[in-house]
Amino acid sequence: MAAQAGERLTARLVLFDLDDTLCDHYQSHRLRLRRAFGSALAEYPAVDLEALVEAAALQVGGTAHFAEVLRGAGVADPGCCQRAIDLYRADRFLGLELYGEALDVVRAVARHARVGMITNGPSAIQREKICLLGIGDLFPFILVSEEEDSWKPDSAIFARALELGGVGPEEAVYVGDSPEHDVAGAQAAGLQSVWVNRRGRAWPGGPPPDFEIGDLRELLPLLGVRESG
């Protein structure tokens, strides 16, 4: 999966995922959970906060699982659970930032090929996130799954991106962090796939991506692009 010397992607259109590809949702999510549970559990100093945060982080969306996670830590207090929920919801984008290389890489790629974004999630959340990060103007088009009524790995949302980009699947690349949603979806739609594996995870199985990279800068030589600066 890792690139070999001289290997290249052929792309007139490069599509990017958002969360944990361009911005660090992984750390933001844990920061929100740590603040929410840390404050709510002030009366329960024996609880292993980090273990609880990791258990809660296994489910990315919503708070319906908070009560079960707290019970697993020996806390059955509904008031504590509600405090955690309220704090978690208080700042949906707490600590959310772009990865340090994201802007430079997207700008460099955009000088070489057309770019676009495909992101899963509710429209209100993803559009606000894109506005907060200040990256909307980087992309000629951004597809949000709720607006398209198609969620990765459904190939329909990839087909719509190809239509907007004016290319066939063999001329497009999708760059994302999720094996299940990004890589599998791109493969099903016939696109070339690049897996962004920032945390050194093992490939979970199934058809591997065309390339694996540790951060977005590693994308540039695959496309034959030189970073500016």
Side-chain angles (χ1 to χ4, degrees):
M1 291 186 292
Q4 301 298 315
E7 287 189 298
R8 292 279 181 88
L9 289 159
T10 301
R12 293 176 54 213
L13 174 65
V14 180
L15 301 165
F16 291 88
D17 170 53
L18 176 59
D19 294 311
D20 291 321
T21 298
L22 296 174
C23 67
D24 194 348
H25 179 266
Y26 178 91
Q27 292 297 343
S28 173
H29 185 215
R30 279 158 178 75
L31 183 61
R32 292 174 67 199
L33 291 170
R34 195 171 292 111
R35 182 182 73 163
F37 287 118
S39 179
L41 290 167
E43 299 176 9
Y44 300 87
V47 173
D48 185 336
L49 178 60
E50 289 306 311
L52 190 144
V53 165
E54 289 305 313
L58 293 175
Q59 183 171 319
V60 175
T63 58
H65 63 304
F66 278 22
E68 181 181 355
V69 169
L70 284 166
R71 283 194 298 269
V75 180
D77 179 359
C80 177
C81 181
Q82 189 58 54
R83 288 193 297 275
I85 290 171
D86 291 343
L87 284 165
Y88 181 77
R89 291 173 173 171
D91 185 351
R92 186 179 297 277
F93 307 120
L94 180 68
L96 186 69
E97 297 180 345
L98 291 170
Y99 289 109
E101 81 280 8
L103 285 176
D104 287 343
V105 170
V106 173
R107 287 169 176 154
V109 172
R111 292 192 293 271
H112 169 85
R114 197 169 192 201
V115 296
M117 184 195 297
I118 305 176
T119 177
N120 273 1
S123 179
I125 293 173
Q126 297 306 91
R127 290 292 179 184
E128 186 176 352
K129 191 182 298 181
I130 289 163
C131 181
L132 174 70
L133 295 169
I135 56 175
D137 291 344
L138 292 179
F139 299 94
F141 63 88
I142 296 172
L143 300 181
V144 180
S145 56
E146 184 179 55
E147 297 169 3
E148 299 298 317
D149 195 27
S150 172
W151 295 65
K152 297 177 295 181
D154 183 358
S155 60
I157 197 166
F158 293 93
R160 176 60 176 154
L162 295 174
E163 179 184 352
L164 291 171
V167 303
E170 71 283 353
E171 299 176 295
V173 175
Y174 191 75
V175 182
D177 72 292
S178 170
E180 299 83 5
H181 299 133
D182 299 328
V183 174
Q187 290 172 338
L191 283 72
Q192 301 163 94
S193 58
V194 176
W195 182 36
V196 184
N197 183 16
R198 294 181 182 274
R199 298 189 297 281
R201 295 172 289 166
W203 180 250
D210 293 292
F211 294 100
E212 173 186 340
I213 59 177
D215 68 46
L216 293 177
R217 286 191 184 90
E218 295 177 34
L219 178 66
L220 299 181
L222 296 179
L223 293 167
V225 175
R226 182 174 298 175
E227 187 174 356
S228 63

